[in-house]
Amino acid sequence: MGLTFRSCLFDEQTGKLQLKTRRPDVFEVFGLEYAYFFDSELLEQRYLELSKLSHPDHQRVKDEESKKYVLQISAWVNQSYQELKDSLFRAEFLLSLIEKDNDLSTDSKKLPGTFLMDMLELQEELEELAYKLDENRLEEIEEQAEQSRKQSLKEVGENLDLCLGGASVDQAFMQTLRSQLNTVRYYDRILGTVEELLDKV
């Protein structure tokens, strides 16, 4: 029994699962076109189909080496599924892909405008809140950080899909996207700190 779609973990000629020697392309695992905004229901369907095919019970392998081989493929399927569902991973994967295809390189630490100063000020406020433990203010910061994170990923995702759709790409534009994407990790740090403080309230 084969798959209803093409997967880089399945050899259509031999009809057998194939283990990659390096991290597989998460989109190619599920035969999906490169896109930030994609059909999540289609991913679910293909994940269920591929995970069933790659399950050791389905393969009915008996020797230990074959079991290990199938388990490794199953692990790739599960990891690729989780990574594709992760909006930050997906954005970084696609941005790197576009850079590579266009022979471009961006600064992975650069941030937009006064963003770093704003974050340092917010971090100082959080240090003060570690003593005050003002629940209302902490929840307000949490909500603002979550909204900003979501908005940044949405804007980056929309632009990535435009690039993948054939829009012109240059160094300055890609650096703008990279810098905006870099802010997400800062929001994640803020959210982590806020969560820790809220647990103490």
Side-chain angles (χ1 to χ4, degrees), residues 11-42:
D11 189 326
E12 293 183 352
Q13 291 184 337
T14 64
K16 294 181 180 180
L17 294 167
Q18 55 185 359
L19 182 63
K20 310 297 283 187
T21 55
R22 56 183 174 79
R23 176 197 283 264
D25 182 312
V26 291
F27 284 88
E28 290 181 352
V29 167
F30 300 103
L32 297 172
E33 292 184 8
Y34 294 122
Y36 180 82
F37 295 103
F38 63 94
D39 188 337
S40 57
E41 288 186 9
L42 183 60

Side-chain angles (χ1 to χ4, degrees), residues 143-192:
E143 183 179 354
Q144 290 172 346
E146 285 176 346
Q147 288 178 352
S148 296
R149 182 188 193 279
K150 185 177 180 180
Q151 184 61 31
S152 286
L153 280 170
K154 180 176 180 290
E155 290 175 4
V156 170
E158 289 171 346
N159 281 302
L160 287 172
D161 282 350
L162 286 174
C163 294
L164 291 165
S168 61
V169 174
D170 61 31
Q171 179 71 30
F173 182 66
M174 293 309 294
Q175 183 60 63
T176 298
L177 292 188
R178 174 68 73 183
S179 297
Q180 189 172 5
L181 193 55
N182 289 342
T183 67
V184 176
R185 294 200 181 279
Y186 275 84
Y187 290 130
D188 284 342
R189 288 180 207 166
I190 294 297
L191 288 167

Side-chain angles (χ1 to χ4, degrees), residues 121-142 193-194 197-198 200-201:
E121 288 178 12
L122 184 55
Q123 195 62 52
E124 287 179 7
E125 183 180 358
L126 286 172
E127 288 173 6
E128 292 176 9
L129 286 168
Y131 298 101
K132 295 181 188 176
L133 291 178
D134 182 336
E135 185 175 6
N136 290 332
R137 177 55 183 152
L138 285 169
E139 288 178 346
E140 185 179 299
I141 292 172
E142 182 179 44
T193 302
V194 171
L197 292 177
L198 283 172
K200 296 178 182 178
V201 174

Side-chain angles (χ1 to χ4, degrees), residues 33-91:
E33 292 184 8
Y34 294 122
Y36 180 82
F37 295 103
F38 63 94
D39 188 337
S40 57
E41 288 186 9
L42 183 60
L43 172 62
E44 294 294 330
Q45 292 169 8
R46 293 186 174 184
Y47 168 67
L48 290 173
E49 189 178 340
L50 189 53
S51 58
K52 181 180 178 181
L53 182 66
S54 62
H55 195 282
D57 291 345
H58 180 85
Q59 290 294 317
R60 296 176 184 172
V61 290
K62 294 182 180 179
D63 63 282
E64 288 303 313
E65 190 172 335
S66 295
K67 282 182 182 178
K68 185 179 179 182
Y69 183 85
V70 173
L71 283 170
Q72 285 179 305
I73 294 174
S74 183
W76 275 128
V77 172
N78 291 322
Q79 182 177 340
S80 298
Y81 172 70
Q82 293 300 329
E83 289 174 341
L84 259 181
K85 289 191 359 175
D86 183 329
S87 53
L88 177 56
F89 176 91
R90 201 165 63 249

